[in-house]
Amino acid sequence: MDKYEDFKKQINSLLNIDLNYYKEKQMKRRITSLLTRNNYKDFDDYYLGIKNNKKILNEFINYLTINVSEFYRNPSQWHVLENYILPDIIKKCKGSPKVWSSACSTGEEPYSTVMLLSKFFDLKNIKILATDIDEEAMRKAKIGLYSEKSLQNLPLEFKNKFFDRIESSYKIKDTIKNCVDFKKIDLLKNPFPRDIDLLICRNVMIYFTDKGKELLYKKFFESLSNEGVLFLGSTEQIILPERYNYRSIKTFFYKKIFY
Ligand SMILES: C[S@@+](CC[C@H](N)C(=O)[O-])C[C@H]1O[C@@H](n2cnc3c(N)ncnc32)[C@H](O)[C@@H]1O
């Protein structure tokens, strides 16, 4: 049998990460380059390294999860969110909407969301959920120290209001941090929260197979409130969204159809 098949099984039982849902060609290429770089000769050999060496294990998880993010990533979509999507959601909800940033990485996405919500609500009334499979990324999110570059698309008023400059970095203020609850959720394995009014899932589905994406569209449907909105990343449009009971309301935004 292909050694990669064995490797996937071993990783699933050791780490509870199911590589079957990640695009195979891309994942195999990435892992092969990582193991070669570390002087392992094949997948069997590399698996032993992962199992027995914490450093190799952490490096593998880190590499696998691809944590790149930034504040207001693809800014035009955040403007659509502010001007078209949120006002509608807010009209429907009584208080601050239930928001879930579902692959939040190092926190730029949930913190951007809180800053945007602060235009509509008092910060003390905002609480959103942010989750990721990668606990190390969320540990960094909780520290909240960012480079100038990661803030390049953030509106200046937010940059000035919600960060303290520490040498060449920017530290996010506690008033924003306190509005986010971080929690580990594996999108492919764990149950989802319910009654979500705005579900943000950006730049993670590109790594999943069609089967993985389909699974998520269905799980997201269950997770959304009536007429809740799903906000996807730039290359992640749903083809024929009606098949999964969504209506496209703006590019990258889908509303749950409620019968
Ligand atoms: C490229 S980052 C996207 C960050 C942010 N959403 C954005 O668009 O800037 C992808 C994130 O997906 C997370 N991820 C990968 N597989 C996951 C899974 N099965 N469940 C939850 N998160 C996952 C990674 O840990 C990583 O933090």
Side-chain angles (χ1 to χ4, degrees):
M1 210 209 285
D2 182 353
K3 286 196 168 174
Y4 186 62
E5 288 301 315
D6 286 341
F7 181 77
K8 284 192 291 189
K9 283 192 197 130
Q10 288 163 324
I11 290 298
N12 202 1
S13 53
L14 183 72
L15 302 175
N16 203 18
I17 294 175
D18 190 351
L19 290 173
N20 282 315
Y21 284 116
Y22 291 77
K23 283 182 190 156
E24 175 127 346
K25 231 168 98 190
Q26 188 186 30
M27 196 46 87
K28 206 168 161 180
R29 179 170 35 81
R30 284 177 59 81
I31 298 174
T32 306
S33 97
L34 184 63
L35 74 86
T36 317
R37 218 193 304 149
N38 280 300
N39 298 319
Y40 290 99
K41 65 176 192 306
D42 56 21
F43 286 111
D44 284 348
D45 196 24
Y46 186 43
Y47 172 70
L48 290 177
I50 291 172
K51 199 171 147 199
N52 298 320
N53 183 332
K54 192 103 185 128
K55 193 167 153 262
I56 297 293
L57 169 78
N58 286 339
E59 188 196 36
F60 173 70
I61 294 178
N62 237 309
Y63 193 73
L64 196 75
T65 50
I66 316 169
N67 296 128
V68 274
S69 191
E70 60 184 50
F71 288 87
Y72 261 58
R73 186 171 189 175
N74 310 110
S76 60
Q77 291 162 28
W78 289 87
H79 295 126
V80 172
L81 178 63
E82 174 175 356
N83 295 308
Y84 298 97
I85 309 293
L86 265 183
D88 238 29
I89 294 180
I90 288 168
K91 228 186 276 170
K92 186 192 86 168
C93 304
K94 293 208 169 65
S96 177
K98 262 182 102 171
V99 179
W100 175 26
S101 163
S102 68
C104 68
S105 186
T106 37
E108 294 86 338
E109 181 180 281
Y111 290 145
S112 299
T113 310
V114 170
M115 292 180 211
L116 181 52
L117 283 171
S118 78
K119 285 189 145 187
F120 299 86
F121 300 96
D122 205 290
L123 277 177
K124 70 175 187 316
N125 295 323
I126 299 172
K127 192 61 123 181
I128 75 166
L129 174 67
T131 67
D132 201 281
I133 195 175
D134 185 348
E135 289 175 290
E136 176 58 23
M138 288 190 287
R139 196 185 60 76
K140 289 189 190 147
K142 286 180 206 162
I143 294 170
L145 202 59
Y146 297 98
S147 68
E148 169 109 56
K149 191 164 175 285
S150 75
L151 276 85
Q152 66 189 354
N153 288 320
L154 189 69
L156 198 60
E157 54 165 315
F158 290 159
K159 186 174 167 184
N160 292 337
K161 198 166 163 190
F162 296 126
F163 292 85
D164 291 314
R165 181 116 198 216
I166 299 180
E167 291 167 10
S168 60
S169 302
Y170 288 79
K171 180 127 174 78
I172 196 150
K173 293 212 161 134
D174 284 349
T175 47
I176 296 293
K177 268 204 234 172
N178 293 340
C179 297
V180 182
D181 276 339
F182 288 97
K183 189 177 160 193
K184 181 176 174 177
I185 291 185
D186 178 344
L187 291 168
L188 298 166
K189 293 207 164 169
N190 297 136
F192 286 3
R194 296 282 166 151
D195 279 325
I196 301 296
D197 300 308
L198 174 65
L199 200 168
I200 310 172
C201 184
R202 306 180 74 217
N203 305 301
V204 61
M205 278 201 278
I206 33 163
Y207 304 114
F208 296 158
T209 59
D210 287 344
K211 208 169 132 222
K213 287 180 196 159
E214 209 162 284
L215 170 79
L216 287 192
Y217 298 150
K218 291 180 183 158
K219 286 179 84 178
F220 286 152
F221 181 87
E222 295 302 322
S223 176
L224 285 164
S225 62
N226 298 341
E227 307 214 322
V229 174
L230 176 62
F231 176 16
L232 299 182
S234 284
T235 52
E236 300 174 316
Q237 278 130 302
I238 308 179
I239 302 159
L240 297 175
E242 287 75 16
R243 266 192 305 173
Y244 305 101
N245 297 313
Y246 296 104
R247 186 160 50 85
S248 168
I249 46 173
K250 287 270 174 200
T251 322
F252 314 115
F253 292 91
Y254 298 87
K255 191 180 261 190
K256 169 172 172 167
I257 301 174
F258 181 66
Y259 297 100

